[in-house]
Amino acid sequence: DTAVSQTPKYLVTQMGNDKSIKCEQNLGHDTMYWYKQDSKKFLKIMFSYNNKELIINETVPNRFSPKSPDKAHLNLHINSLELGDSAVYFCASSQEVGTSGRRFFGPGTRLTVL
Amino acid sequence: GENVGLHLPTLSVQEGDNSIINCAYSNSASDYFIWYKQESGKGPQFIIDIRSNMDKRQGQRVTVLLNKTVKHLSLQIAATQPGDSAVYFCAETPPQGAQKLVFGQGTRLTINP
């Protein structure tokens, strides 16, 4: 009965590799997000999708490419991984666009780039 | 801009005492505020929210206070328990809309036995 799930939970990889993180929500929400949390716990939005359409694309290197095959899934693909990409990545979803936007977060994926 | 901030990065309280976590925001036009709790190894979890047309809202053991005059938000936790140990974030929705929910830095709350 998990609301927002992510896989994998941990990801350790070498610099230069390409990796993907998957996210699924079973809440029936229209909007999904990717957040990056750095070592100081600061949460910064990366992307937002509404009904498979990109709504927000913050200043994120184009090595990061989100893909939403349907409104219940939002995957994050990262090319040519760099040391600075090491962080915890959270997927989230919300019910309403243009209103309060209370987020429901997944458990996070801890990415470590060596 | 991203100027939701916290006065204290860490807070230690005795079990059973009340905790107050503070947050300052910069956008006077923000109309919705949320407090999240993040336990170790988990994602942020919603605690309580408040709209700008209110100055106080109560939940179970938690109260959020909003002072729009000084752009200040606080979270009060009554009778703090060990399970309250976590990082707490405030977040605001600026006029640009809900997708732009901006998070503060976070305050780590530690409960002493």
Side-chain angles (χ1 to χ4, degrees):
Chain A
D1 58 349
T2 304
V4 182
S5 59
Q6 297 176 229
T7 55
K9 186 162 178 62
Y10 299 97
L11 187 52
V12 181
T13 188
Q14 298 286 334
M15 261 195 320
N17 284 349
D18 303 338
K19 290 293 179 185
S20 292
I21 307 172
K22 294 185 176 181
C23 177
E24 176 181 3
Q25 55 95 4
N26 62 5
L27 297 166
H29 289 169
D30 290 329
T31 308
M32 296 185 71
Y33 310 82
W34 278 109
Y35 283 83
K36 180 179 180 180
Q37 186 172 48
D38 62 23
S39 58
K40 297 181 180 178
K41 296 291 188 181
F42 187 70
L43 267 167
K44 184 173 172 59
I45 190 167
M46 300 172 69
F47 301 103
S48 168
Y49 267 75
N50 177 254
N51 269 322
K52 302 193 299 175
E53 180 184 342
L54 182 65
I55 302 296
I56 292 176
N57 183 352
E58 291 295 297
T59 308
V60 177
N62 57 15
R63 298 181 294 105
F64 291 77
S65 53
K67 283 189 171 54
S68 182
D70 55 63
K71 75 173 194 177
H73 296 84
L74 181 62
N75 303 323
L76 184 65
H77 188 76
I78 315 170
N79 289 326
S80 303
L81 278 156
E82 300 177 357
L83 292 176
D85 297 332
S86 294
V88 181
Y89 292 84
F90 287 99
C91 178
S93 70
S94 66
Q95 174 68 17
E96 297 161 340
V97 175
T99 58
S100 61
R102 173 184 159 184
R103 310 283 193 266
F104 291 78
F105 284 86
T109 296
R110 181 175 292 278
L111 172 64
T112 303
V113 182
L114 304 175
Chain B
E2 297 173 355
N3 292 315
V4 179
L6 295 170
H7 296 306
L8 295 172
T10 60
L11 178 65
S12 293
V13 298
Q14 291 296 123
E15 184 177 348
D17 286 352
N18 297 334
S19 303
I20 300 176
I21 302 172
N22 296 305
C23 177
Y25 64 94
S26 62
N27 195 329
S28 58
S30 290
D31 60 2
Y32 179 67
F33 304 86
I34 309 177
W35 280 101
Y36 281 91
K37 172 187 181 183
Q38 185 179 17
E39 296 176 86
S40 180
K42 296 183 179 179
Q45 181 181 19
F46 172 88
I47 302 174
I48 192 167
D49 57 1
I50 189 168
R51 295 205 173 271
S52 58
N53 60 354
M54 304 171 68
D55 53 21
K56 180 179 180 179
R57 190 162 189 224
Q58 287 185 293
Q60 187 178 14
R61 281 202 309 118
V62 294
T63 301
V64 55
L65 298 176
L66 175 62
N67 186 333
K68 293 181 287 294
T69 303
V70 294
K71 292 184 286 187
H72 185 266
L73 193 67
S74 68
L75 177 71
Q76 299 179 1
I77 306 174
T80 313
Q81 303 169 357
D84 294 328
S85 292
V87 176
Y88 290 81
F89 296 92
C90 66
E92 65 174 321
T93 299
Q96 296 95 317
Q99 292 84 10
K100 290 286 187 178
L101 187 70
V102 176
F103 284 82
Q105 185 180 7
T107 293
R108 183 178 298 280
L109 178 64
T110 303
I111 313 302
N112 301 318

